[in-house]
Structure formats: C-alpha cells, structure tokens
Amino acid sequence: MARRRIIAGNWKMNKTPSEAVALCAELKDLVKNDAVDVVYCVPAIDIVPVVEAVKGTNVLVGAENFYIEDKGAFTGEISAPMLKDAGVTYIIIGHSERRDIFGENDILINAKVKKAFAAGLKPILCCGESLALRKAGTYTAWIRRQITWDLDGVTADQVKDLVIAYEPIWAIGTGETATADQAQEVCKMIRDLIAELYDAATAEAVRIQYGGSMNAGNAAELLSKPDIDGGLIGGASLKADFGQIVNA
Ligand code: PGA
C-alpha cells in the first residue's frame, strides 16, 4: 500500500498575521501538488487568516500547540475544539522545543494525542534524541520509550491516521541534517515498533516524517527512502524553497 506523502511546514514563532497571509500568497503556486498532503502549521494568531488565505487551494492548516481541556479557566490557552472549529486539520504534539523549553513530558504529550483525536484533529507526534544520546548510541531506546509512552491507550485505527515526525534535536535549525541513511534507520525502527505495539497493517499505514534542516537541496534524497513518508520543515518552510520540497 502506498502511503501518501505529507510535507508540513512548522512556522514556529515566526510571521505576524499579515506576514502569514503574504507568505501564503507567495507560496500558492509553488506548493501545488495533488499527490502530496501540504500543511502549514502556524502560530495560533495566524490560524484564522491562514485558513482564509488557503481556501480553494490544496493546502491544509495545522496548529503548533493547544491545551488538553475543552474549555474553562485556563488563561492564555486554546483548546482542541477551538482549533477544529477554526478549520485546523493537523496539530504538532511533542516537538522538542515544547519538551525542552516548556517542560512538556510524555504524560502530557500522551494526553494531548488522545485529546487531539477526540476533537477530530490529526496529530503530528514528534520524537527525537539529543546529540548526547546520539553520541552515546542509546538513541534507539530513547525514541522507543518516547513513542511507547506517547501512544499509551491510543487505538490502532487512530495510529493509522497518525503522523510521526522523527526530528533529531541536533539537526533542528542547525543546518546539520541527518544523512538519509541515518534518518531511514530511525524511521524504519519506528515503523517496526508500531508493528510490535499494534500490528503489521497499522505499521504499514502510519506515516513517518523526517525533520531537521530539511531543505530544497537534501529533500529528494531523504524522501527517496522507503520509510520516510514526508518532512516537517522549519526554516525552509518560510520561503519559496518550501515549494521545491513539496515537489521534490
Ligand atoms: P528546521 O526545523 O527545519 O528549521 O531544522 C524543523 C522542526 O523543528 O520542525
């Protein structure tokens, strides 16, 4: 079964609402590709204008964060039902910046995955090791633990709709990309883990992205690997290069 490629931009804390609309206009013709899911994951305040700006195009909108309660006294937070109602399809969960800077742990991340599915959003679940773990050679065990905890209580049918992004922390925003073989090794390991936790059909269906300094120059090689079904792209999603990655 061929898995559909998914190329997602992670805009992070960049682009004001008016800049976001301008970027959508700049990328509009460059990201046309009906064979690929194209997603812009944007800051919360950009969601409404970006949903409007991509209407009638092939682009889907994603969010970068939310809180696990539906509503209530949680000053400053937004909920999954709010995102859904605003037109969001995908939601990034467990990004290393949220884990490291904002202290999100696997218990919260697991709750977010379940809440996202309950609200009708599709999670892009991120995992990945630090440079120290890569050097120590223990990165496989680390990633297995992350995914096993993050998917606790998540059903096989849900996992078939899940996207997992393997993002080695040492490659994020550093210009140092994992080699295609390094990325493939971990993406295959993740797929094998899904087969172990669920079954072969679920492992075959789950889509796995690579993320970390993916750009117009290295995307084609990374995406040629059998277990890499797409990319989660930070820096290069904010410029015309993103169109080249979509069409790599
Ligand atoms: P980068 O970010 O492409 O700028 O390395 C990727 C990410 O953090 O999702």
Side-chain angles (χ1 to χ4, degrees):
M1 186 192 65
R3 289 178 294 271
R4 191 172 160 85
R5 186 176 284 185
I6 175 163
I7 303 293
N10 175 8
W11 290 9
K12 307 194 180 182
M13 197 176 73
N14 296 296
K15 304 295 173 191
T16 65
S18 53
E19 289 168 350
V21 170
L23 182 59
C24 291
E26 184 190 341
L27 294 179
K28 188 171 180 231
D29 292 329
L30 305 176
V31 299
K32 275 192 187 144
N33 187 334
D34 289 336
V36 176
D37 284 342
V38 180
V39 187
Y40 298 163
C41 298
V42 306
I45 198 165
D46 296 346
I47 288 170
V48 170
V50 167
V51 165
E52 189 60 35
V54 301
K55 243 180 211 150
T57 75
N58 58 320
V59 175
L60 299 167
V61 178
E64 300 178 17
N65 189 33
F66 72 101
Y67 188 58
I68 50 174
E69 298 295 338
D70 283 349
K71 62 193 303 188
F74 303 99
T75 302
E77 293 297 325
I78 54 174
S79 70
M82 290 174 186
L83 296 175
K84 180 73 183 171
D85 185 66
V88 166
T89 305
Y90 286 93
I91 172 74
I92 297 175
I93 299 175
H95 192 280
S96 59
E97 286 153 17
R98 297 226 50 96
R99 292 177 189 259
D100 294 347
I101 304 170
F102 301 100
E104 294 196 8
N105 62 24
D106 290 299
I107 294 171
L108 179 63
I109 291 164
N110 173 246
K112 285 187 164 191
V113 170
K114 289 191 267 200
K115 175 55 76 172
F117 277 123
L121 300 172
K122 295 173 196 267
I124 298 177
L125 173 64
C126 301
C127 61
E129 81 283 4
S130 65
L131 186 58
L133 289 173
R134 164 67 52 173
K135 283 187 173 154
T138 53
Y139 56 95
T140 301
W142 173 264
I143 294 162
R144 281 180 63 96
R145 190 197 54 75
Q146 282 185 321
I147 292 177
T148 305
W149 280 49
D150 297 347
L151 294 184
D152 184 46
V154 178
T155 68
D157 278 348
Q158 289 173 330
V159 173
K160 287 180 182 143
D161 240 358
L162 178 73
V163 178
I164 298 175
Y166 167 55
E167 298 206 306
I169 298 169
W170 46 272
I172 295 177
T174 58
E176 187 182 344
T177 323
T179 65
D181 286 341
Q182 283 174 323
Q184 162 63 19
E185 182 210 15
V186 176
C187 291
K188 177 169 191 319
M189 181 278 287
I190 293 170
R191 198 175 306 284
D192 290 346
L193 174 62
I194 297 298
E196 201 181 304
L197 295 174
Y198 295 91
D199 51 58
T202 306
E204 189 59 31
V206 67
R207 290 185 295 176
I208 304 176
Q209 298 174 313
Y210 168 77
S213 298
M214 195 187 260
N215 59 41
N218 59 29
E221 195 192 351
L222 286 158
L223 294 170
S224 72
K225 295 294 179 183
D227 289 293
I228 302 179
D229 306 314
L232 182 58
I233 295 108
S237 71
L238 300 170
K239 43 189 183 178
D241 291 39
F242 191 66
Q244 282 170 264
I245 300 173
V246 167
N247 290 293

